[in-house]
Amino acid sequence: MAVVGDLIEGLLLLLPAMVANATPVVAGGRTPVDMGLTFLDGRRLLGKGKTWEGLFAGIAAGTAAGALLSLYRPELLFIGFGVSVGAMTGDLVASFIKRRFNMESGAPAPVLDQLNFYVGAVVALYLMGYQFTFSLLVILAIVSGSLHLLTNIIAYILGWKEHPW
Ligand code: CTP
Ligand code: MG
């Protein structure tokens, strides 16, 4: 049962990151983070899918989720902000990688699309002093990635998102 407890604890710490990650889909804007700049390969640094509005809305929403959870667990206020920044950073890094592989904004990159925010959030948690065992990291990755895919499919059905991934 300790595993279940650890899983719930892990999901609690990651919940603000999931909120942060899901927010730009509905609160994305028009000002590209890369400001239209291109990299050495001539392609966009990050692409049109990453906007400042989405970035800030994501961090704000994730931090707000952490603030709400902090009513039960005070440390989640700080953690919520940290994992939100981590999640959004992971998302930007993934777009940078996709552009280097000449993939259009919005093109599917299985695993990378679903887990970029998770890796960013886990790195942030690690920097804040939270460590997980390898097996828990794998379980949390599967749960987080599946939830991400599920929410994206729902957003696609609702017409909020161009692609279901
Ligand atoms: N979005 C945003 N700002 C961000 C992240 C996402 O505005 N920092 C919005 C964009 O409208 C984006 C949508 O959320 O199109 C879906 O996000 P995502 O799937 O991460 O981006 P993609 O458009 O697929 O681009 P990429 O190929 O770079 O992942
Ligand atoms: Mg995408």
Side-chain angles (χ1 to χ4, degrees):
M1 278 298 118
V3 177
V4 177
D6 286 349
L7 179 62
I8 291 170
E9 169 76 7
L11 287 174
L12 193 65
L13 296 174
L14 288 168
L15 198 59
M18 297 187 197
V19 172
N21 185 249
T23 300
V25 175
V26 286
R30 46 177 65 232
T31 321
V33 175
D34 68 9
M35 294 294 179
L37 291 176
T38 52
F39 194 58
L40 300 169
D41 52 16
R43 292 188 283 272
R44 284 284 292 270
L45 214 51
L46 303 172
K48 63 177 170 62
K50 304 295 121 141
T51 70
W52 285 108
E53 291 89 343
L55 187 66
F56 285 122
I59 294 172
T63 304
L68 209 62
L69 292 170
S70 74
L71 297 173
Y72 304 98
R73 290 273 299 275
E75 71 270 28
L76 277 165
L77 181 61
F78 174 66
I79 291 168
F81 173 71
V83 295
S84 298
V85 171
M88 300 312 289
T89 305
D91 185 48
L92 295 181
V93 171
S95 290
F96 179 81
I97 294 170
K98 284 172 78 173
R99 299 300 88 79
R100 304 290 69 77
F101 281 93
N102 204 13
M103 300 171 81
E104 295 286 334
S105 288
V111 184
L112 186 64
D113 280 340
Q114 287 76 40
L115 289 183
N116 57 45
F117 85 95
Y118 173 73
V119 174
V122 167
V123 170
L125 280 172
Y126 184 80
L127 294 175
M128 291 185 287
Y130 288 82
Q131 286 159 27
F132 301 106
T133 60
F134 182 73
S135 49
L136 187 60
L137 277 177
V138 173
I139 298 170
L140 285 170
I142 293 169
V143 175
S144 303
S146 307
L147 272 175
H148 176 76
L149 200 56
L150 184 71
T151 50
N152 276 0
I153 291 170
I154 293 171
Y156 172 74
I157 292 170
L158 292 174
W160 295 343
K161 205 174 181 295
E162 239 177 284
H163 309 285
W165 48 80

